[in-house]
Amino acid sequence: MLAHNRHLGNPENQRRREQAQSPIVLRAMVGIAQSIFVAIASIFNFFILLLKKSSRAYCKYQVVTYQSNIPMSPLTTHRLLSVKRKILVLDLDETLIHSHHEGVLRPMVKPGTPADFTIRVVIDRHPVKFSVHERPHVDLFLSVVSQWYELVVFTASMEVYGTCVADKLDRGRGILKRRYFRQHCTMDFGGYTKDLSAIHPDLSSICILDNSPGAYRKFPHNAIPIQSWFSDPNDTCLLNLLPFLDALRFTSDVRSILSRNQQQLQDL
């Protein structure tokens, strides 16, 4: 018995036992560390998601104004009265809104992003539900520019869809009464182009806001390009256009200003 106890108390044997137990302890510590790391990462991701949602909500509901009712000087008033009231043609998809129909979620829109409104239409005898997202500040934009221009909707979408979207954007204000749809477009180079002369024969007083250059291929000197919009809640393109559109209405021929866009492209 004494010999056996001496054998157990042998430092060499004790060291061997400790060495055998070390991998087990190490694996346990690694497992605990991994669990703690996963928990911390989950908490961090949760707070990041919460911050993003709060940021989107703030951007959507923050109050933005544009001083469009500042009294004009007599000289400015005289200048405005001496020129024709201009027409601003507005595209819908990817210019003022972005939409996708039920069951098809484009990769540009994150799953779970709530729509600003939905519409239900019948296409080829099949009911289709569209989720529509409004470009940031579109309501303010329409309210302001409708004081300066006659607004016309011109979309390459089908009339049954475009009418519903335009009605929602109008919100009963009667500012989007004139509307043109796919049947008013012409096919050119595999895409739809929009004939501005069908809206008004005097091209000096008409301009088009569209994200697709192909839509105004035949009228580049009447075009106001804008970046395509899909889901960015921080987009300010419509707001940025207000000072420019405010000034453009004073010109006698919009092409004298808008043609410079074409010239700049040629100079690049």
Side-chain angles (χ1 to χ4, degrees):
M1 178 65 70
L2 184 59
H4 178 69
N5 290 338
R6 284 199 302 269
H7 178 72
L8 291 176
N10 190 310
E12 182 65 24
N13 293 334
Q14 186 175 358
R15 185 167 57 254
R16 290 177 180 176
R17 287 196 301 271
E18 291 176 352
Q19 289 177 350
Q21 293 175 353
S22 294
I24 299 176
V25 175
L26 182 61
R27 285 196 295 269
M29 293 178 64
V30 170
I32 294 173
Q34 289 177 340
S35 299
I36 294 174
F37 177 78
V38 170
I40 293 175
S42 299
I43 295 173
F44 178 77
N45 290 334
F46 171 77
F47 280 108
I48 290 295
L49 180 62
L50 189 63
L51 181 62
K52 288 182 178 180
K53 288 184 177 180
S54 300
S55 176
R56 285 197 296 267
Y58 173 77
C59 292
K60 182 176 180 179
Y61 295 108
Q62 64 177 324
V63 178
V64 178
T65 60
Y66 183 81
Q67 299 297 329
S68 60
N69 56 352
I70 298 177
M72 293 185 293
S73 67
L75 182 61
T76 303
T77 302
H78 174 73
R79 172 60 184 175
L80 188 59
L81 293 175
S82 66
V83 297
K84 296 179 181 178
R85 181 176 172 86
K86 307 299 187 297
I87 299 172
L88 178 59
V89 181
L90 300 169
D91 176 49
L92 290 179
D93 290 282
E94 281 67 72
T95 296
L96 299 183
I97 58 100
H98 172 70
S99 71
H100 55 86
H101 61 80
E102 194 172 37
V104 178
L105 185 63
R106 298 184 182 181
M108 298 83 168
V109 179
K110 293 182 179 179
T113 303
D116 290 294
F117 60 86
T118 59
I119 59 174
R120 290 175 171 83
V121 298
V122 177
I123 300 176
D124 295 332
R125 300 181 181 180
H126 297 287
V128 182
K129 176 184 175 182
F130 286 90
S131 297
V132 184
H133 304 263
E134 296 180 0
R135 191 168 196 154
H137 314 295
V138 65
D139 191 54
L140 171 66
F141 176 81
L142 293 175
S143 296
V144 173
V145 296
S146 64
Q147 302 173 42
W148 304 333
Y149 295 82
E150 177 187 350
L151 302 184
V152 177
V153 170
F154 202 159
T155 175
S157 300
M158 291 182 290
E159 182 173 355
V160 65
Y161 163 85
T163 297
C164 291
V165 173
D167 285 343
K168 289 287 188 178
L169 293 177
D170 187 277
R171 289 176 170 79
R173 292 172 291 188
I175 58 178
L176 299 176
K177 292 181 179 180
R178 293 186 64 186
R179 302 168 183 180
Y180 293 78
F181 306 99
R182 180 174 296 178
Q183 65 266 31
H184 302 109
C185 299
T186 56
M187 285 294 296
D188 190 14
F189 295 99
Y192 292 103
T193 61
K194 302 172 182 179
D195 184 4
L196 298 184
S197 63
I199 297 175
H200 197 281
D202 182 10
L203 295 178
S204 67
S205 60
I206 186 170
C207 50
I208 179 172
L209 178 65
D210 202 308
N211 70 301
S212 175
Y216 50 78
R217 181 181 293 111
K218 296 181 179 179
F219 304 92
H221 295 168
N222 296 84
I224 303 174
I226 189 171
Q227 291 181 348
S228 298
W229 180 82
F230 298 98
S231 62
D232 180 12
N234 300 312
D235 181 86
T236 59
C237 286
L238 294 178
L239 279 183
N240 297 341
L241 278 174
L242 289 178
F244 173 76
L245 290 172
D246 192 358
L248 185 64
R249 62 191 175 123
F250 287 90
T251 186
S252 58
D253 189 336
V254 297
R255 295 169 296 185
S256 65
I257 304 298
L258 299 181
S259 61
R260 298 187 180 187
N261 290 330
Q262 188 74 7
Q263 185 62 44
Q264 288 175 356
L265 290 175
Q266 293 175 355
D267 292 341
L268 291 178

